[in-house]
Amino acid sequence: MGMNAAAAAKEVQRIELTPAAALFRSLGDPTRLAIVRHLAAGPARVTDMVGAVGLTQSTVSKHLGCLKDCGLVDSEPIGRASLFRLTQPALIDLLSAAETVLAATGQAVALCPVYGMENGDLRREVAP
């Protein structure tokens, strides 16, 4: 038996939101978010970001690879290094909007039992 029109419309809406959900998942890691924040100030090399985010070069490179695969950063070779930059300047506005929402909600998201923080560490996402 087929879906009724209302159910079909809701399914279409859910499917249309899938790319946005993927974008938020790509930014859902604190390290990737720190990298994006660092690149919001301007292009940087991996070694610059290692110092800024306080993680190993391999960890930063792994997260940069993810952001690059998602089309959020790109790089150009500069000698033996690469210079990374944001491909979407609107990410700066997105970060600013997130900070505004967090301030307006009194950090309620950080306290959320499913998506919030516990002892300073992000909990694993659980399926509803």
Side-chain angles (χ1 to χ4, degrees):
M1 186 168 235
M3 286 193 264
N4 67 35
K10 287 182 181 179
E11 179 66 12
V12 168
Q13 181 182 24
R14 189 183 68 75
I15 290 170
E16 289 172 349
L17 292 173
T18 299
L23 170 64
F24 286 112
R25 277 194 305 276
S26 73
L27 297 172
D29 181 273
T31 299
R32 287 193 295 275
L33 213 45
I35 289 169
V36 169
R37 177 185 279 170
H38 186 76
L39 292 175
R45 298 171 301 154
V46 173
T47 56
D48 301 327
M49 289 180 270
V50 164
V53 300
L55 296 168
T56 65
Q57 183 171 340
S58 63
T59 299
V60 171
S61 292
K62 178 183 86 166
H63 287 288
L64 280 166
C66 175
L67 292 167
K68 194 171 184 177
D69 289 345
C70 293
L72 301 177
V73 302
D74 65 7
S75 63
E76 66 177 276
I78 304 290
R80 291 178 47 181
S82 291
L83 192 65
F84 288 85
R85 66 175 41 86
L86 295 178
T87 60
Q88 304 300 319
L91 283 172
I92 298 166
D93 297 333
L94 184 61
L95 289 177
S96 177
E99 290 170 3
T100 300
V101 169
L102 288 169
T105 63
Q107 303 284 333
V109 173
L111 302 174
C112 173
V114 175
Y115 299 106
M117 297 173 64
E118 179 177 297
N119 300 325
D121 295 327
L122 288 179
R123 293 183 180 186
R124 292 190 181 267
E125 184 174 318
V126 294

